[in-house]
Coordinates of all heavy atoms in Angstrom, one line a residue:
T1 N 128.2 123.8 143.7 CA 128.8 122.6 143.3 C 129.8 122.7 142.2 O 130.7 121.9 142.0 CB 127.6 121.6 142.8 OG1 126.9 122.3 141.7 CG2 126.7 121.3 143.9
S2 N 129.6 123.8 141.3 CA 130.5 124.0 140.2 C 131.8 124.7 140.5 O 132.8 124.7 139.7 CB 129.8 124.7 139.1 OG 129.5 126.0 139.4
G3 N 131.8 125.4 141.6 CA 133.0 126.1 142.0 C 133.2 127.4 141.3 O 134.3 128.0 141.3
K4 N 132.1 127.9 140.6 CA 132.2 129.2 139.9 C 130.8 129.8 140.0 O 129.8 129.1 140.2 CB 132.6 129.0 138.4 CG 131.6 128.1 137.6 CD 132.1 127.9 136.2 CE 131.2 127.0 135.4 NZ 131.6 126.9 134.0
P5 N 130.7 131.1 139.8 CA 129.4 131.8 140.0 C 128.5 131.4 138.8 O 128.8 131.5 137.7 CB 129.8 133.3 139.9 CG 131.1 133.4 139.3 CD 131.8 132.1 139.6
V6 N 127.3 131.0 139.2 CA 126.2 130.8 138.2 C 125.0 131.6 138.7 O 124.5 131.4 139.8 CB 125.8 129.3 138.2 CG1 124.7 129.0 137.2 CG2 127.0 128.4 137.8
S7 N 124.5 132.5 137.8 CA 123.5 133.4 138.2 C 122.2 133.3 137.4 O 121.2 134.0 137.6 CB 124.0 134.9 138.2 OG 124.4 135.2 136.9
S8 N 122.3 132.4 136.4 CA 121.1 132.4 135.5 C 121.0 130.9 134.9 O 121.8 130.1 135.2 CB 121.3 133.3 134.3 OG 122.5 133.1 133.6
W9 N 119.9 130.7 134.2 CA 119.6 129.4 133.6 C 119.4 129.5 132.1 O 119.3 130.6 131.6 CB 118.5 128.7 134.3 CG 117.2 129.4 134.3 CD1 116.3 129.5 133.3 CD2 116.6 130.2 135.4 NE1 115.2 130.2 133.7 CE2 115.4 130.7 135.0 CE3 117.1 130.5 136.7 CZ2 114.6 131.4 135.8 CZ3 116.3 131.3 137.5 CH2 115.0 131.7 137.0
T10 N 119.5 128.3 131.5 CA 119.3 128.3 130.0 C 117.9 127.6 129.7 O 117.5 126.7 130.4 CB 120.4 127.4 129.4 OG1 121.6 128.1 129.5 CG2 120.1 127.1 127.9
C11 N 117.2 128.2 128.8 CA 115.9 127.6 128.3 C 116.1 127.1 126.9 O 116.5 127.7 126.0 CB 114.9 128.7 128.4 SG 113.2 128.1 127.8
L12 N 115.7 125.8 126.8 CA 115.6 125.1 125.5 C 114.2 125.1 125.1 O 113.4 124.4 125.7 CB 116.2 123.7 125.6 CG 116.1 122.9 124.3 CD1 116.8 123.5 123.2 CD2 116.7 121.5 124.6
L13 N 113.8 125.9 124.1 CA 112.5 126.0 123.6 C 112.2 125.3 122.3 O 112.7 125.7 121.3 CB 112.2 127.5 123.5 CG 110.7 128.0 123.4 CD1 110.0 127.6 124.6 CD2 110.7 129.5 123.1
D14 N 111.4 124.3 122.4 CA 111.1 123.5 121.2 C 109.7 123.9 120.7 O 108.7 123.9 121.4 CB 111.0 122.0 121.6 CG 110.6 121.1 120.4 OD1 110.9 121.5 119.2 OD2 110.1 120.0 120.6
L15 N 109.7 124.4 119.4 CA 108.5 125.0 118.8 C 107.8 124.0 117.8 O 106.9 124.5 117.1 CB 108.8 126.3 118.2 CG 109.4 127.4 119.1 CD1 109.6 128.7 118.3 CD2 108.5 127.6 120.3
E16 N 108.2 122.8 117.7 CA 107.6 121.9 116.8 C 106.1 121.7 117.2 O 105.8 121.5 118.4 CB 108.2 120.5 116.8 CG 107.6 119.6 115.8 CD 108.2 118.2 115.8 OE1 108.3 117.6 116.9 OE2 108.6 117.7 114.7
G17 N 105.2 121.9 116.2 CA 103.8 121.9 116.5 C 103.1 123.2 116.7 O 101.9 123.3 116.8
L18 N 104.0 124.3 116.8 CA 103.4 125.6 117.0 C 102.6 126.0 115.7 O 103.0 125.9 114.6 CB 104.5 126.6 117.2 CG 104.1 128.0 117.6 CD1 103.7 128.0 119.1 CD2 105.2 129.0 117.3
N19 N 101.4 126.5 116.0 CA 100.5 126.9 114.8 C 99.6 128.0 115.3 O 99.8 128.6 116.4 CB 99.7 125.7 114.3 CG 98.9 125.0 115.5 OD1 98.2 125.7 116.3 ND2 98.9 123.7 115.5
M20 N 98.7 128.4 114.5 CA 97.9 129.6 114.7 C 97.0 129.5 116.0 O 96.6 130.5 116.5 CB 97.0 129.9 113.5 CG 97.7 130.4 112.3 SD 98.7 131.8 112.6 CE 97.5 133.0 113.0
R21 N 96.7 128.2 116.5 CA 96.0 128.1 117.7 C 96.8 128.7 118.9 O 96.2 129.1 119.9 CB 95.5 126.7 118.0 CG 96.7 125.7 118.3 CD 96.2 124.3 118.4 NE 97.2 123.3 118.6 CZ 97.9 123.1 119.7 NH1 97.5 123.7 120.8 NH2 98.8 122.2 119.7
H22 N 98.1 128.7 118.7 CA 98.9 129.3 119.8 C 98.8 130.9 119.8 O 99.3 131.5 120.7 CB 100.3 128.9 119.7 CG 100.6 127.4 120.0 ND1 100.5 126.4 119.0 CD2 100.8 126.8 121.2 CE1 100.7 125.3 119.6 NE2 100.9 125.4 120.9
L23 N 98.3 131.4 118.7 CA 98.1 132.9 118.7 C 96.7 133.3 119.2 O 96.2 134.4 118.9 CB 98.3 133.4 117.2 CG 99.7 133.2 116.6 CD1 99.7 133.7 115.2 CD2 100.7 133.9 117.5
W24 N 96.1 132.4 119.9 CA 94.8 132.7 120.6 C 95.0 133.9 121.4 O 95.9 133.9 122.3 CB 94.4 131.5 121.4 CG 93.1 131.6 122.2 CD1 91.9 131.9 121.7 CD2 93.0 131.4 123.6 NE1 91.0 131.9 122.7 CE2 91.7 131.6 123.9 CE3 93.9 131.1 124.6 CZ2 91.2 131.5 125.2 CZ3 93.4 131.0 125.9 CH2 92.1 131.2 126.2
R25 N 94.3 135.0 121.1 CA 94.6 136.3 121.7 C 94.6 136.3 123.3 O 95.5 136.9 123.9 CB 93.6 137.3 121.2 CG 93.8 137.7 119.8 CD 95.2 138.2 119.5 NE 95.6 139.4 120.3 CZ 96.7 140.0 120.3 NH1 97.7 139.5 119.5 NH2 96.9 141.1 121.0
P26 N 93.6 135.7 123.9 CA 93.7 135.7 125.4 C 95.0 135.0 125.9 O 95.6 135.4 126.9 CB 92.5 134.9 125.8 CG 91.5 135.1 124.7 CD 92.3 135.1 123.5
G27 N 95.4 133.9 125.2 CA 96.6 133.2 125.6 C 97.9 134.1 125.4 O 98.8 134.2 126.2
V28 N 97.9 134.8 124.2 CA 99.0 135.7 124.0 C 99.0 136.8 125.0 O 100.1 137.2 125.5 CB 98.9 136.3 122.5 CG1 100.0 137.4 122.3 CG2 99.1 135.2 121.5
K29 N 97.8 137.4 125.3 CA 97.8 138.4 126.3 C 98.3 138.0 127.7 O 99.0 138.7 128.4 CB 96.3 139.0 126.4 CG 96.2 140.2 127.3 CD 94.8 140.7 127.2 CE 94.6 142.0 128.1 NZ 93.3 142.5 128.1
A30 N 97.9 136.8 128.1 CA 98.3 136.2 129.3 C 99.9 136.0 129.3 O 100.5 136.3 130.3 CB 97.6 134.9 129.6
L31 N 100.4 135.5 128.2 CA 101.8 135.4 128.0 C 102.6 136.7 128.2 O 103.6 136.8 128.8 CB 102.1 134.7 126.7 CG 103.6 134.6 126.3 CD1 104.3 133.7 127.3 CD2 103.8 134.1 124.9

């Protein structure tokens, strides 16, 4: 649709609310 090569996407990562519960080790390991 754009008429030019597009091979990747952009990620907008909002980290508001990130705290130590996100460092839960099984979650980090899965990530």
